[in-house]
């Protein structure tokens, strides 16, 4: 057995993000329908003299390498809970857009947790790992489980959702990121003085996922953070329009943005839509991916 563990972990898109009013703790109750998509980071954990994080990939310069990195925080949380020395080198091979609303940091947190658990033989149960994930961030538990799930509470309480087929997506990567707290703050500003309804999962959306029917899913997609992301980054409207004109069934902001997501009927339309988005000059990159994708999985050791 080699003394290194590599874990592959997917990005996510929120096919429904229903946001309630701000809670006293500053978080928002959600009905958050997560779908894991096949864009992956890989985290490799290797024994070392001290905790160290490195990162490779086109966006690596934007990733913090100190203990604010969610991968480092995951290793520290696991080590503390099981009385292990957290001396580990975590290398992140980053392919998920950074600060793009696709849970890239959360993915690395979940992957590091699974990798360190395997490396250290802590024997943590799935529920114990999920509890650590929830402490690290609202999106982290979903990065661990993957597939599709409804997240309630602040998004950390998961119920698996059945998906009856493969969905094809294009993701337009924007220049620069958007801060998740800033987008929730803008949601609060835009909804101030209005009655924000209790968030609830859409039965039509759940049925569309179950049936695997992309037209039905296109009709049911929704993101309550989209007006806030567009308010902070008005140019995203041009990206949404370019993807729709290129033949996407539906277009929406991915989570807190600024990545935009385009649901397309098949692989060929995905490639054409990605080409058209790039040619439109309204995004920095366009990535093709399928869903659902498996959660954090040991890929090699
Ligand atoms: C937008 C989404 O990506 C959709 O899945 C998530 O709701 C964000 O999840 P995340 O990045 O894991 O967020 P966390 O690290 O838990 O919280 C960061 C900040 O986002 C805001 N936040 C997050 C989750 C939530 N349900 N309500 C919130 O208001 C809070 O200001 C919080 O301080
Ligand atoms: N491993 C990591 N990879 C990327 N960013 C990280 C990581 N750890 C911490 N961060 C910090 O988190 C911020 C948000 O990055 P991330 O890529 O997770 O955003 P996001 O995809 O918009 O998150 P979410 O969709 O969960 O709201 C970054 O600007 C960075 O400072």
């Amino acid at each position: 057995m080699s003394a290194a563990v590599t874990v592959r972990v997917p990005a996510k898109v929120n096919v429904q993000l229903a946001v309630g009013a701000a809670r006293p703790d500053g978080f928002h109750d959600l009905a958050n329908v997560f779908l894991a998509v096949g864009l992956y980071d890989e985290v490799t954990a290797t024994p070392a003299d001290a905790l160290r994080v490195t990162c490779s990939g086109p966006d690596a310069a934007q990733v913090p390498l100190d203990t604010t990195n969610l991968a480092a925080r995951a290793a520290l949380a696991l080590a503390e809970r099981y009385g292990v020395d957290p001396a580990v080198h975590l290398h992140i091979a980053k392919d998920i857009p950074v600060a793009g609303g696709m849970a890239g940091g959360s993915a690395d947190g979940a992957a590091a947790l699974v990798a360190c658990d395997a490396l250290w033989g802590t024997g943590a149960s799935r529920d114990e790992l999920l509890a650590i994930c929830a402490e690290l961030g609202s999106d982290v538990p979903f990065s661990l489980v993957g597939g599709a799930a409804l997240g309630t509470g602040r998004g950390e309480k998961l119920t698996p959702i059945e998906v009856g087929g493969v969905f094809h997506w294009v993701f337009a990567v924007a220049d620069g990121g958007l801060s998740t707290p800033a987008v929730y703050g803008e949601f609060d500003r835009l909804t101030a003085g209005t009655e924000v309804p209790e968030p609830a999962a859409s039965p039509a959306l759940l049925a569309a996922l179950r049936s695997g029917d992309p037209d039905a899913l296109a009709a049911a997609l929704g993101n309550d953070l989209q007006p806030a992301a567009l308010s902070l980054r008005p140019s995203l409207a041009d990206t949404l329009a370019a993807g729709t004109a290129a033949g996407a069934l539906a277009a929406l902001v991915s989570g807190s943005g600024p990545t935009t997501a385009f649901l397309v009927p098949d692989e060929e339309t995905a490639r054409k839509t990605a080409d058209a988005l790039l040619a439109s000059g309204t995004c920095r990159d366009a990535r093709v991916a399928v869903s659902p994708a498996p959660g954090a999985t040991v890929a090699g050791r």
Side-chain angles (χ1 to χ4, degrees), residues 39-214:
L39 296 178
Y40 299 96
D41 281 358
E42 277 189 0
V43 176
T44 301
T46 315
D49 292 338
L51 176 61
R52 188 162 75 93
V53 179
T54 55
C55 185
S56 60
D59 291 345
Q62 297 165 50
V63 175
L65 301 179
D66 58 13
T67 50
T68 64
N69 190 300
L70 276 163
R73 287 180 48 208
L76 288 168
L78 187 72
E80 191 184 355
R81 181 144 333 178
Y82 290 92
V84 177
D85 180 356
V88 64
H89 173 204
L90 298 170
H91 179 73
I92 302 168
K94 181 153 276 298
D95 195 41
I96 302 175
V98 175
M102 299 193 77
S106 305
D108 301 340
L113 197 61
V114 172
C116 290
D117 175 52
L119 189 69
W120 297 335
T122 47
S125 68
R126 191 82 170 160
D127 282 350
E128 284 163 337
L129 291 180
L130 281 170
I132 297 174
C133 287
E135 285 168 21
L136 294 171
S138 311
D139 279 346
V140 185
F142 180 71
S143 297
L144 185 82
V145 304
L150 170 64
T152 54
R154 59 185 161 83
E156 87 285 17
K157 295 180 190 140
L158 298 177
T159 308
I161 291 175
E162 192 194 326
V163 181
V166 173
F167 294 104
H168 295 264
W169 297 90
V170 180
F171 295 95
V173 182
D175 264 326
L178 270 179
S179 141
T180 303
V183 176
Y184 275 105
E186 185 65 1
F187 171 87
D188 292 339
R189 197 184 69 79
L190 293 175
T191 55
T194 68
E195 188 68 31
V196 179
E198 286 291 311
S202 146
L205 180 102
L206 299 178
L209 287 172
R210 221 171 15 247
S211 69
D213 176 353

Side-chain angles (χ1 to χ4, degrees), residues 170 242-244 246-248 262 264-265 268-278 286:
V170 180
T244 306
F262 302 88
V264 291
E268 196 190 332
T269 314
R271 275 196 306 272
K272 283 185 183 156
T273 305
D275 288 346
L277 278 162
L278 277 175

Side-chain angles (χ1 to χ4, degrees), residues 12 14 17 26-30 32 34 101 103 106 136-140 153-155 180-181 184 225 255-256:
K12 60 84 178 160
N14 308 90
L17 185 51
F27 284 89
H28 296 71
D29 276 325
L30 305 176
N32 189 351
F34 291 103
S106 305
L136 294 171
S138 311
D139 279 346
V140 185
R154 59 185 161 83
T180 303
Y184 275 105
L225 290 184
S256 53

